[in-house]
Amino acid sequence: MNDLLKKRIVALMKERNITQMELAEIAGTTQATLSRNINGVHEPKADIIEKISNFFNVSTDYLLGKTDNRNPVSTPSIKEQLSEAQIALYNQTESLTEEQMLDVIKYVEFLKSKEGK
């Protein structure tokens, strides 16, 4: 384990006032394994790093020393953005008449047909 990872985990444990035994239980490992991870004897497994970062509400990149920002703002994925657009579209079309909905469907089909040109 690199020194920065060790320092950050120890500091976060102090902030939350928890012991290695408590953190080990949260991380789903033994206190002995966590101690070896913290003291650099063994590299921690990715799932342990993830559980620790989730518990302390920090990014794994922060724990690993790749950033000094505890929780960088993440950009929503395209899939998340599309889901939001679909929900917004549904909310806007909820009160439309059947005829208006047919018009919306025709317009969507028109937009899709323009893609191929």
Side-chain angles (χ1 to χ4, degrees), residues 36-85:
R36 285 191 291 269
N37 292 157
I38 290 174
N39 291 310
V41 177
H42 296 289
E43 287 292 319
K45 293 181 179 180
D47 65 319
I48 291 174
I49 293 291
E50 185 175 357
K51 289 175 184 174
I52 292 171
S53 72
N54 288 339
F55 174 74
F56 289 119
N57 195 29
V58 298
S59 70
T60 55
D61 282 349
Y62 173 77
L63 283 180
L64 296 170
K66 294 181 178 182
T67 181
D68 291 329
N69 188 348
R70 286 183 173 209
N71 253 325
V73 177
S74 61
T75 306
S77 69
I78 283 291
K79 189 174 185 178
E80 291 169 328
Q81 292 175 33
L82 286 175
S83 294
E84 289 176 19

Side-chain angles (χ1 to χ4, degrees), residues 1 12 87 92 102:
M1 176 184 291
L12 290 165
I87 291 167
Q92 292 296 315
L102 289 172

Side-chain angles (χ1 to χ4, degrees), residues 10 12-13 16 21 39 46 51 64-65 70 72 88 103 107:
V10 170
L12 290 165
M13 287 171 55
R16 284 279 186 99
M21 181 66 90
N39 291 310
K51 289 175 184 174
L64 296 170
R70 286 183 173 209
D103 287 341
Y107 184 68

